[in-house]
Amino acid sequence: MEVRLEGLTKQFDETVAVDNLTVTLESGKLIGLLGPSGCGKSTTLYMISGLLKPTKGRIYFDDDDVTDLAPEKRGIGLVFQNYALYPHMTVLQNILFPLENLRINRKEALARAVEMAELVGIKELFDRKPSQLSGGQQQRVAIARALVKKPRVLLLDEPLSNLDARLRLQTREEIKRIQREVCITTIFVTHDQEEAMSISDEIIVMNKGVLQQKGAPQHVYNHPINLFVSKFLGNPPINTFEGSIKNGKIYVGDVELGVTKFKDQDVIIGIRPEDFRVDENGFMVKVDEIDCIGRDTTLHFTLGGKHTRALIPSDSVLGNPEYVHISVKPDKIHLFNTDEAGELVNE
Amino acid sequence: MSKSKVMWKRFRERLAEIRWEVRRRYYIFKENVNKKTAKPKAAVKGFFKKYLVQPFKKYICNPIKNGYVKFTKTKVGGFLHKYIFHPVAYFFNRFVFRPLGQVFNRNFFHAMIYLLPALILLCIFTFYPIINSIILAFYKNYTPVDKMFDGYTLDNFRDIIARPGFVAALRNTAIIVFISVPISVIISLFVAVMLNSIKRLKSFFQTIFFLPYVTNTIAIGLVFSYMFDYRYGLINKALKVLGIAAIHWKDAQASYFNAMTTLMIYIIWGSLAFKILVFTAGLQNIDKQYYDAAKVDGTTRWRIFRRITVPLLSPMIAYITITSLIGSFKTYTTVVAIYGEEGRTAGGKDLRTIVFYVYDYIMGGKALNPGELSRGAAASLILFGIILVFTLIQLYVSKKRVHY
């Protein structure tokens, strides 16, 4: 089912948590709401769930306007950040709890609970209390509890933040698999760009309550529309320089990086570390440090007065060279305006 | 020398070398450890060591030690040391002083310094009287004037139970306990949940509900006495407005049922304050996300209360039930506040509780008669036994029912 937000705004006293958010979340996809802490992504999620009332704007599930509907009438499943499993109930009772509210008869409820438990792989844990489960298992129970009433939309609030690193990778795959199997629109919130990039079909990058960019993860990564998005995505982060365009050529200081069709102006140049390459015809840089980690090597050097990282294949440099000739892959230079918004240069 | 003997000699030499090497390294290691862990000594400590400890060792310990060493060098002294003094000293050191030292170590004395004030007061005013009253209950014909008694007996218990009114007192106490405690727990739970769900004026209402707790019981009792008055009381006036005939609540014509109801209303109202306070505190500790989760699942308010609030609050409920159960068994002041020291209505309806009996034997000069004080002690022991049984039952039940 498609979720459509129109001009959604949420104001807490003085601060505007979400500012005029208009976006359509396609049906059956796994969508990641991504942004730094306090950018309003959780607020957006809770507004979709109905636990928070928007100050302005409408929320549509397909063509139904659900803005004024109570949470239980929207047909959503919500998984909380700390799972909110009832500590006094067993896993089975926890999963059955939503069904008891719907007054579904016990036999069918049990069948559905078993089906869900099999889906998330916790069937053998039915008689345990939440305190006897590991973080990952609790997470699965929470997902099963959210899914058991067959919601139209599944909402996950920071699903991986309470898990340790190894479990995080595992659960990531698990969430993706579960979403594929039940095939419902799933929206999850995260501040970890790697997490969002790895599992979502589509990501929505937000900052200070404002939508920045929406699209497939790889597309957003390759074509960030502003400086914030380019900086927020990618690890190691993008290198940025203050440079200028002169006669169709891009300069940082007096180093020429490439050509462009835009007019002469000052710009902020963003280059991802992996978009550098070793090139005999390129410019020469003095290597400050060189880290060789298996397949990739990180070169540290100073360009335009800024510390710069370049990620290059290990076999393209030999030994510990003092100077390296490098260049930038064509079409991989991102040019942003120097003003605060930092939009892409378009003229 | 044969070849094997040479080899043995070399082997032993090598062994000795290794031993010396190990020892040398160990000392170096120890020295380093000491260097690392040695703390700079405080000036005061150094002063004491220099002018008290060292002279003491030098002029008192060392002469004694040297004298003893000299003594052991003699034939008799050597014998005594080897077969008597040393084994005895070893024994005491190993099996007496060292274990004692492990118990009465520095931590123990530190703990004692903190515990001692409370411990002394508890011993004087709690433990000693408890033990004393238990013994007292078994004395025969004890007179507090000359502290004389004729041996031990169980008659005190028989006398107490056989006394007119004691069974009635048991019944009164039971009624008060088993009606007032559940009702007040349930009412205060509801009030606490209501208080927790309102947003505005929350602390104002909390204060209002807490007021009875800080007000004097007797003062409240007097107010209630006036309120339940037949002719001038607020309650009867209110009933009149509603068109109900005035009720004899607590005067000479009041029935036992009415008198008990009056008492019960007063007890319940008075005990609400503390319970509400505890429950509101407990409610604030419950994670709000449980309620959000329940809301998303479309749980009704009543089901949220029954399936989430009550189970999550169950440790608090158990605690409150146990303490108020014990408190109600000891009901005394509340009855006195409404019906006076006699514990009877003017019409002679008996509302005394067990504690009245305990007081009865102590107050009013009765205690000076032989054996009376012992009967009071016996009554209090019976009360203790009843409370103990109920508390154990309660603990057993709550262990099964209270979650996590």
Side-chain angles (χ1 to χ4, degrees):
Chain A
M1 193 191 46
E2 187 182 273
V3 177
R4 199 146 45 85
L5 311 178
E6 276 182 13
L8 204 63
T9 304
K10 179 71 188 177
Q11 203 164 355
F12 293 114
D13 296 332
E14 294 295 294
T15 53
V16 180
V18 178
D19 193 3
N20 202 11
L21 182 68
T22 303
V23 69
T24 306
L25 312 172
E26 281 85 0
S27 177
K29 284 197 169 167
L30 182 58
I31 296 148
L33 273 175
L34 179 63
S37 301
C39 74
K41 54 195 192 302
S42 279
T43 312
T44 310
L45 192 83
Y46 282 120
M47 280 195 284
I48 297 172
S49 79
L51 288 173
L52 282 178
K53 278 235 167 302
T55 316
K56 233 165 49 193
R58 314 300 298 172
I59 302 165
Y60 297 94
F61 286 2
D62 280 340
D63 294 326
D64 311 339
D65 185 351
V66 297
T67 319
D68 300 320
L69 232 52
E72 68 267 20
K73 297 207 175 103
R74 294 188 181 194
I76 48 140
L78 180 57
V79 176
F80 289 87
Q81 188 173 359
N82 55 6
Y83 317 135
L85 296 175
Y86 307 120
H88 54 285
M89 299 185 197
T90 62
V91 167
L92 181 62
Q93 285 169 331
N94 260 297
I95 298 175
L96 284 177
F97 191 77
L99 297 179
E100 283 171 29
N101 296 327
L102 297 174
R103 303 199 175 283
I104 289 170
N105 73 49
R106 190 156 173 83
K107 217 171 172 185
E108 195 198 327
L110 213 60
R112 268 162 81 168
V114 169
E115 181 196 338
M116 278 306 138
E118 271 167 1
L119 175 70
V120 300
I122 47 153
K123 207 179 159 224
E124 66 283 1
L125 305 173
F126 264 175
D127 295 327
R128 300 234 198 127
K129 291 266 173 79
S131 56
Q132 296 166 316
L133 301 179
S134 71
Q137 289 167 334
Q138 287 186 21
Q139 166 98 58
R140 288 163 195 224
V141 177
I143 292 176
R145 187 177 69 179
L147 286 175
V148 76
K149 52 185 178 170
K150 307 232 157 98
R152 299 193 285 175
V153 183
L154 178 64
L155 307 169
L156 304 160
D157 187 9
E158 301 260 1
L160 306 174
S161 67
N162 277 4
L163 303 174
D164 59 56
R166 205 171 59 83
L167 212 53
R168 204 173 286 184
L169 280 175
Q170 200 182 328
T171 312
R172 203 148 94 175
E173 301 306 316
E174 196 73 351
I175 290 175
K176 201 170 180 174
R177 177 184 68 76
I178 293 166
Q179 198 268 338
R180 292 275 180 284
E181 275 181 40
V182 294
C183 216
I184 62 171
T185 314
T186 304
I187 304 166
F188 77 98
V189 158
T190 179
H191 59 262
D192 183 353
Q193 47 101 7
E194 197 188 324
E195 196 174 300
M197 304 261 299
S198 60
I199 63 171
S200 37
D201 299 322
E202 203 149 271
I203 58 173
I204 292 169
V205 185
M206 289 176 73
N207 185 31
K208 293 177 182 164
V210 182
L211 172 73
Q212 304 291 324
Q213 194 171 0
K214 169 178 175 283
Q218 203 54 44
H219 179 81
V220 176
Y221 182 80
N222 286 336
H223 304 283
I225 61 159
N226 63 29
L227 194 58
F228 171 80
V229 176
S230 74
K231 275 183 175 173
F232 193 73
L233 293 181
N235 186 25
I238 194 166
N239 301 300
T240 55
F241 313 97
E242 283 159 15
S244 56
I245 302 173
K246 279 175 206 152
N247 302 326
K249 287 177 179 168
I250 306 165
Y251 288 97
V252 173
D254 46 7
V255 178
E256 186 197 323
L257 292 180
V259 290
T260 176
K261 58 183 192 296
F262 297 125
K263 67 178 172 68
D264 291 6
Q265 58 188 314
D266 284 345
V267 288
I268 291 178
I269 300 164
I271 302 169
R272 297 218 177 269
E274 65 270 25
D275 292 339
F276 286 105
R277 62 180 174 190
V278 177
D279 183 358
E280 281 302 313
N281 305 323
F283 53 91
M284 191 177 74
V285 292
K286 185 176 181 296
V287 178
D288 294 337
E289 210 184 316
I290 185 161
D291 297 337
C292 183
I293 308 154
R295 188 162 43 91
D296 295 325
T297 293
T298 313
L299 282 179
H300 298 265
F301 55 90
T302 310
L303 183 63
K306 279 208 164 174
H307 173 235
T308 310
R309 291 189 195 85
L311 213 58
I312 53 173
S314 289
D315 51 8
S316 57
V317 283
L318 294 172
N320 252 345
E322 203 172 337
Y323 294 92
V324 175
H325 286 272
I326 58 173
S327 66
V328 185
K329 293 174 191 168
D331 302 332
K332 292 288 186 183
I333 302 174
H334 307 288
L335 300 174
F336 302 106
N337 285 325
T338 48
D339 60 355
E340 208 176 311
E343 304 262 318
L344 271 182
V345 173
N346 51 11
E347 55 182 19
Chain B
M1 257 197 287
S2 69
K3 208 178 173 184
S4 64
K5 267 191 178 170
V6 174
M7 270 181 68
W8 267 116
K9 201 186 168 195
R10 276 188 191 160
F11 178 69
R12 277 201 300 275
E13 280 170 9
R14 184 81 192 106
L15 213 65
E17 267 172 39
I18 289 169
R19 202 174 287 153
W20 277 112
E21 183 62 23
V22 166
R23 200 163 295 175
R24 197 178 67 83
R25 285 190 187 176
Y26 173 69
Y27 281 127
I28 291 169
F29 164 75
K30 211 173 163 189
E31 210 166 274
N32 287 339
V33 168
N34 282 342
K35 257 185 220 160
K36 269 177 203 163
T37 55
K39 289 170 194 160
K41 278 175 187 126
V44 179
K45 228 173 177 179
F47 176 84
F48 275 113
K49 200 161 187 184
K50 195 172 176 188
Y51 293 105
L52 282 172
V53 179
Q54 281 176 355
F56 180 77
K57 275 188 180 166
K58 195 175 172 188
Y59 297 113
I60 298 173
C61 294
N62 286 355
I64 293 172
K65 204 164 127 194
N66 292 339
Y68 184 74
V69 168
K70 246 182 216 168
F71 173 66
T72 55
K73 293 280 195 280
T74 63
K75 212 171 182 186
V76 181
F79 180 82
L80 286 176
H81 172 74
K82 194 173 178 187
Y83 293 104
I84 297 175
F85 294 148
H86 186 253
V88 168
Y90 177 81
F91 174 83
F92 271 96
N93 207 1
R94 182 77 178 75
F95 296 105
V96 180
F97 297 128
R98 220 184 286 173
L100 278 180
Q102 273 165 8
V103 176
F104 300 104
N105 55 11
R106 187 176 292 203
N107 281 343
F108 177 82
F109 287 111
H110 279 184
M112 269 301 136
I113 289 169
Y114 292 110
L115 288 175
L116 218 54
L119 218 53
I120 289 172
L121 288 176
L122 275 175
C123 282
I124 295 173
F125 293 108
T126 308
F127 300 142
Y128 173 70
I130 285 175
I131 293 163
N132 218 5
S133 67
I134 290 173
I135 297 169
L136 191 62
F138 295 97
Y139 283 164
K140 193 178 183 182
N141 292 334
Y142 174 79
T143 5
V145 184
D146 51 10
K147 297 199 170 20
M148 300 284 276
F149 60 96
D150 317 331
Y152 299 93
T153 178
L154 284 171
D155 287 354
N156 295 322
F157 292 92
R158 202 193 55 203
D159 288 357
I160 264 291
I161 293 165
R163 244 194 220 193
F166 186 75
V167 178
L170 274 182
R171 188 192 58 210
N172 287 338
T173 313
I175 289 172
I176 289 170
V177 169
F178 293 110
I179 294 181
S180 81
V181 172
I183 289 180
S184 66
V185 167
I186 290 167
I187 291 178
S188 55
L189 191 59
F190 273 103
V191 172
V193 171
M194 303 283 174
L195 268 179
N196 207 39
S197 63
I198 60 171
K199 289 192 179 79
R200 240 179 265 175
L201 293 177
K202 191 171 175 177
S203 52
F204 172 71
F205 281 112
Q206 272 175 354
T207 314
I208 286 195
F209 278 106
F210 193 60
L211 273 181
Y213 188 71
V214 291
T215 318
N216 184 299
T217 323
I218 302 288
I220 299 172
L222 287 174
V223 173
F224 262 75
S225 248
Y226 282 118
M227 275 168 55
F228 282 97
D229 193 272
Y230 179 68
R231 221 179 278 169
Y232 313 108
L234 203 64
I235 306 283
N236 275 352
K237 282 196 175 148
L239 288 179
K240 204 173 177 183
V241 171
L242 292 173
I244 302 169
I247 295 171
H248 291 284
W249 287 108
K250 51 174 279 288
D251 48 21
Q253 282 126 16
S255 64
Y256 175 78
F257 178 80
N258 283 357
M260 194 43 116
T261 310
T262 311
L263 183 63
M264 211 69 86
I265 292 170
Y266 167 56
I267 290 175
I268 291 171
W269 186 78
S271 65
L272 281 184
F274 182 65
K275 291 180 183 129
I276 291 172
L277 182 81
V278 172
F279 285 145
T280 5
L283 283 173
Q284 271 154 11
N285 279 337
I286 296 177
D287 197 337
K288 249 186 72 65
Q289 291 217 319
Y290 296 134
Y291 293 108
D292 279 345
K295 220 160 138 194
V296 170
D297 294 337
T299 322
T300 56
R301 284 178 77 98
W302 170 243
R303 263 177 64 80
I304 288 178
F305 175 76
R306 214 162 50 83
R307 294 291 308 273
I308 298 171
T309 308
V310 171
L312 289 177
L313 213 57
S314 54
M316 289 283 184
I317 296 173
Y319 162 76
I320 278 294
T321 316
I322 291 175
T323 48
S324 56
L325 206 69
I326 293 170
S328 315
F329 270 116
K330 299 189 292 184
T331 306
Y332 176 74
T333 353
T334 43
V335 183
V336 171
I338 292 192
Y339 298 106
E341 264 181 65
E342 281 296 303
R344 286 192 182 88
T345 62
K349 296 285 185 286
D350 194 347
L351 287 162
R352 288 181 297 177
T353 58
I354 303 177
V355 179
F356 269 84
Y357 272 76
V358 182
Y359 279 128
D360 232 22
Y361 292 103
I362 305 168
M363 309 287 284
K366 259 192 193 171
L368 298 181
N369 300 337
E372 291 293 276
L373 204 57
S374 295
R375 283 180 205 119
S380 72
L381 263 192
I382 290 172
L383 181 59
F384 168 73
I386 294 170
I387 291 177
L388 187 68
V389 168
F390 278 99
T391 311
L392 289 179
I393 292 171
Q394 175 76 28
L395 279 177
Y396 176 75
V397 172
S398 57
K399 222 176 223 167
K400 291 206 148 180
R401 299 284 304 169
V402 170
H403 303 283
Y404 69 109

